[in-house]
Amino acid sequence: AAAAPLRARASVVRAPRFDAAYPARYGAAVEARLTSGAALRAEAPDALGDPDNPISQDALIAKARALIEDGGRSPAQADRLIEAALALPKGGALRAFAAALAEAPAP
C-alpha cells in the first residue's frame, strides 16, 4: 500500500539483452532515480526461484505466508496450509492439503 503512489511514476521498458536471453533466463533490472538526481540500479540475470538463483525454503515459506495472509486468511490458517503443503512430498495426505486450501478466509 505504501508503494501505491509510486506506480503512477513507474515505467516498464523491455531490454533487448534480457529479451535475447529469454526463455533460458528470466532476468530483469531496475533503476530508481532519487529526488537528489542520483540513480540506484540493481540487476538479476535470473529470477529469484529459478535454478540459477534458488530461493531458500525459509524465504519461500515467508513469501507463501505473506501471500496467504494478504489473501484474507488468518495466521493459523496460513500455518495449516503451509504445513499441509510441506507434508505432500513426504507422503502427506492430499485430502489435508485440499481441506486447508478450502478453508474460508478469516472473518
Side-chain angles (χ1 to χ4, degrees), residues 29-98:
V30 64
E31 183 174 296
R33 298 220 177 254
L34 306 179
T35 54
S36 67
L40 302 176
R41 183 172 170 74
E43 184 174 314
D46 296 291
L48 185 60
D50 278 357
D52 290 328
N53 190 12
I55 187 170
S56 72
Q57 183 167 330
D58 288 344
L60 186 60
I61 290 169
K63 181 176 181 175
R65 182 178 311 286
L67 291 170
I68 293 165
E69 291 178 12
D70 284 351
R73 295 178 190 251
S74 71
Q77 288 174 311
D79 287 342
R80 285 191 291 277
L81 186 52
I82 290 167
E83 287 173 21
L86 291 173
L88 289 173
K90 302 172 190 161
L94 185 57
R95 184 181 315 248
F97 177 72

